[in-house]
Amino acid sequence: MTKARRKITAEERRARLGARHLLAPAARANTPEAVAEALLGLHATDPATVYLAVAARLKDPSVPDLERALYEDRTLVRMLCMRRTMFVVPRELAPVVDASAARAVAARERRNLAKVIQEQLGFDGRWFAATEDAVLAALSRRGEATAAQLADDVPDLKSQIVQSEGKPYEARPRITSRFLGVMAAEGRIRRGRPLGTWASSQFRWISAEPHPELPADESKAELAARYLAAFGPATTEDVKWWTGWTLTDTRKALARTGAVEADLDEGPCHVLPAHLEAAAEPEPWAALLPALDPTPMGWRGRDWYVDEDHRAELFDTTGNIGPSVWWNGRVVGGWAQRADGEIVTAPLVKGGLPREARAAIDAEAERLAAFFGDVRVKPSFRTPLERRLAG
């Protein structure tokens, strides 16, 4: 007789979340590196997200500790990788991410930019290679440089291209940012310290060494296994969406992870054998997570942690989540920072939240306000509730 497959309920998934994603008070980490390791990577499209995602999961949040990991010890690496999205990943994992996801993204970025430059400016592949060498020489002389300084040293970077020609939103940007972005995607340069506060989106550039080359198939299998360790149980579609792989590559990678099949409310899933046991009853926990936090952005299917009725308020039109309030594994509201630094929250749950939840959320808001200090942040992707709360 065939043994029935394990059914994993939404309640079980939520019960694991506080401990596995370091959100329950007793599970919080001591270092930024431990946070990145637990979550596999930190979304970095919006620079502030990296700091706020780490702060939500540290016992003693510290901006200098994260800056040291990013810019001095370099134990955390910023990469353009899964889904052509910027992540910060642990240094030990960076070669795996490069081989499994970033390398293909970098090749596409280079190919697309080279095509535009050839068609619009007449610069060929020899120009591309010579300009890269000139950028590296400028960085060698300067040690670090802004994009504007590099464009002064390499004047061809000031060349302009036309985007959306003839449209109301036609633009004529310089190629500087895209060119440097390609070099960064290939691991030849990297972003150094920001020009302003930790929330600034303007960075200095420094030289870097490309990642060691690993076999792509083995790296995809390792990344899939690491994803399941952080986010499993997960469906094939979850893994495909998070990685940005084709369906064929996703299935091949999953087959090599040692995962077993189980069932979720929405259908079949993959789970590592170590996660088949029922989760222990969690302690109550609250969290205020930033826009694009890696937890809510970790799955394609989101019904088990956020109500469908709340999505219009919490997500933008392209599916990016804004600042969210969590209670025991579910999104129960949103938050925003006002111009005076106050952190305001708004529940979305019908009938309101229990007193215990409100007290825990208020405590997290105070903790977050203390972390912000004098820094003010607006998410790059703004959502209806965040806009309303921010005033």
Side-chain angles (χ1 to χ4, degrees):
M1 184 175 180
T2 303
K3 184 177 179 181
R5 292 200 308 202
R6 171 90 155 82
K7 175 65 182 290
I8 301 175
T9 66
E11 289 76 12
E12 283 188 74
R13 299 178 80 183
R14 292 194 291 268
R16 298 177 190 271
L17 203 54
R20 287 175 63 188
H21 284 209
L22 310 180
L23 292 165
R28 286 175 182 157
N30 292 314
T31 66
E33 292 88 345
V35 176
E37 179 77 19
L39 295 169
L40 194 57
L42 305 167
H43 272 259
T45 302
D46 196 333
T49 294
V50 177
Y51 287 83
L52 298 176
V54 169
R57 296 168 171 89
L58 284 183
K59 294 175 182 176
D60 185 19
S62 166
V63 169
D65 284 350
L66 184 50
E67 290 180 329
R68 189 178 306 113
L70 284 167
Y71 307 123
E72 295 175 23
D73 300 339
R74 299 182 186 174
T75 49
L76 296 177
V77 179
R78 197 183 305 267
M79 301 177 66
L80 186 70
C81 44
M82 287 75 71
R83 304 190 315 281
R84 196 181 167 275
T85 296
M86 194 70 73
F87 279 83
V88 166
V89 304
R91 181 172 58 197
E92 296 76 14
L93 186 63
V96 173
V97 172
D98 177 64
S100 61
R103 197 180 301 164
V105 170
R108 284 195 300 272
E109 292 293 296
R110 185 187 186 92
R111 189 165 55 247
N112 292 340
L113 180 58
K115 182 174 184 290
V116 171
I117 286 175
Q118 173 74 50
E119 292 175 349
Q120 296 195 24
L121 302 175
F123 296 159
D124 60 14
R126 288 175 298 179
W127 173 90
F128 209 110
T131 304
E132 287 180 310
D133 289 342
V135 168
L136 293 176
L139 284 176
S140 178
R141 291 192 302 271
R142 288 180 177 271
E144 63 178 20
T146 65
Q149 288 171 330
L150 290 172
D152 287 338
D153 291 345
V154 187
D156 276 353
L157 291 179
K158 296 180 181 180
S159 303
Q160 292 178 294
I161 56 175
V162 181
Q163 294 179 337
S164 305
E165 186 173 9
K167 302 287 180 63
Y169 44 88
E170 178 182 312
R172 295 177 179 268
R174 291 180 175 183
I175 63 172
T176 314
S177 294
R178 283 187 66 180
F179 193 92
L180 297 177
V182 168
M183 292 187 69
E186 294 176 339
R188 305 189 70 187
I189 62 176
R190 61 178 290 169
R191 293 183 184 185
R193 290 184 179 274
L195 294 179
T197 70
W198 51 264
S200 172
S201 60
Q202 293 185 305
F203 291 83
R204 300 171 178 88
W205 292 98
I206 59 176
S207 298
E209 289 295 326
H211 301 289
E213 293 196 11
L214 301 179
D217 288 346
E218 292 178 16
S219 296
K220 286 178 180 177
E222 182 174 349
L223 187 66
R226 294 284 292 267
Y227 170 84
L228 290 178
F231 294 94
T235 65
T236 301
E237 185 62 24
D238 286 331
V239 182
K240 175 180 178 294
W241 176 81
W242 189 86
T243 57
W245 297 335
T246 65
L247 181 58
T248 297
D249 283 348
T250 302
R251 286 171 171 165
K252 286 181 179 178
L254 284 168
R256 301 177 65 178
T257 62
V260 298
E261 289 192 344
D263 288 304
L264 301 173
D265 291 339
E266 57 264 43
C269 70
H270 309 272
V271 59
L272 297 178
H275 295 159
L276 282 172
E277 296 296 323
E281 187 68 24
E283 61 176 318
W285 60 272
L288 271 62
L289 300 185
L292 299 177
D293 184 87
T295 293
M297 295 298 290
W299 300 269
R300 179 67 180 271
R302 296 163 173 167
D303 290 344
W304 62 278
Y305 66 84
V306 60
D307 289 347
E308 177 68 30
D309 292 345
H310 300 163
R311 293 193 187 185
E313 289 278 58
L314 293 166
F315 290 81
D316 71 7
T317 55
T318 57
N320 297 307
I321 193 168
S324 55
V325 175
W326 293 66
W327 174 244
N328 290 343
R330 290 194 67 87
V331 177
V332 296
W335 65 272
Q337 183 191 45
R338 289 186 172 158
D340 63 359
E342 181 187 5
I343 303 299
V344 290
T345 63
L348 294 173
V349 178
K350 292 180 180 178
L353 295 167
R355 181 180 301 174
E356 180 186 24
R358 294 199 306 271
I361 290 168
D362 288 345
E364 287 301 302
E366 290 181 11
R367 202 168 80 102
L368 184 59
F371 179 80
F372 271 114
D374 294 331
V375 175
R376 302 291 179 262
V377 171
K378 285 184 181 179
S380 297
F381 303 94
R382 305 196 70 186
T383 55
L385 182 58
E386 186 274 331
R387 284 182 182 275
R388 212 163 50 246
L389 291 176

